[in-house]
Structure formats: structure tokens, C-alpha cells
Amino acid sequence: MRTHIGTKLIEAVLVKASKLAVKKLYVEIHTSLKPAIHLYLQAGFKEITGQAYTFNLLNIQMELTS
């Protein structure tokens, strides 16, 4: 049985961000983490470019704006 914990975590973050009136959420991940990328895209995140990466091993940036 799959629990879809990643989906539940994203949903919880989105609810909390909404309550706090957060305007933008930002994540950095590695392109090898395809399930994570899919999860973020399903949640409405869009790939962005032009910002410096926090860590050298990360190579995709995504954000969700309200």
C-alpha cells in the first residue's frame, strides 16, 4: 500500500504557506529525482532559471507563486 507521503507533505506545506500569506515557494533539486520533479509540477511549481544555486549538486530550480 502506497501512502503518498510526498503528496501529503506538499499539501501540508501549501496549506501552511497559504495561512501565512507566503507569496512564493522555492525549491532546488537534482534532475535525477524525477518523482520529486513530477510531484512539484503537479503541485503547480514551474521551472525557473537565472538564480545561483545554493549547492553545487542541485541543477533544477522551481518556484510556486500565488
Side-chain angles (χ1 to χ4, degrees):
M1 178 167 85
R2 297 181 71 182
T3 60
H4 301 283
I5 190 70
T7 300
K8 291 178 183 179
L9 288 169
I10 291 271
E11 288 171 353
V13 167
L14 295 178
V15 167
K16 185 68 170 184
S18 177
K19 288 180 181 179
L20 295 173
V22 171
K23 301 280 187 227
K24 185 186 301 183
L25 295 172
Y26 172 82
V27 295
E28 293 180 350
I29 53 180
H30 192 273
T31 51
S32 66
L33 300 173
K34 298 202 184 304
I37 293 169
H38 180 72
L39 184 65
Y40 286 119
L41 289 172
Q42 281 187 319
F45 281 76
K46 305 286 185 214
E47 186 174 347
I48 61 169
T49 58
Q51 295 187 26
Y53 288 97
T54 307
F55 298 102
N56 292 337
L57 298 176
L58 304 173
N59 59 3
I60 186 171
Q61 300 168 322
M62 303 180 92
E63 72 178 16
L64 178 66
T65 55
S66 58

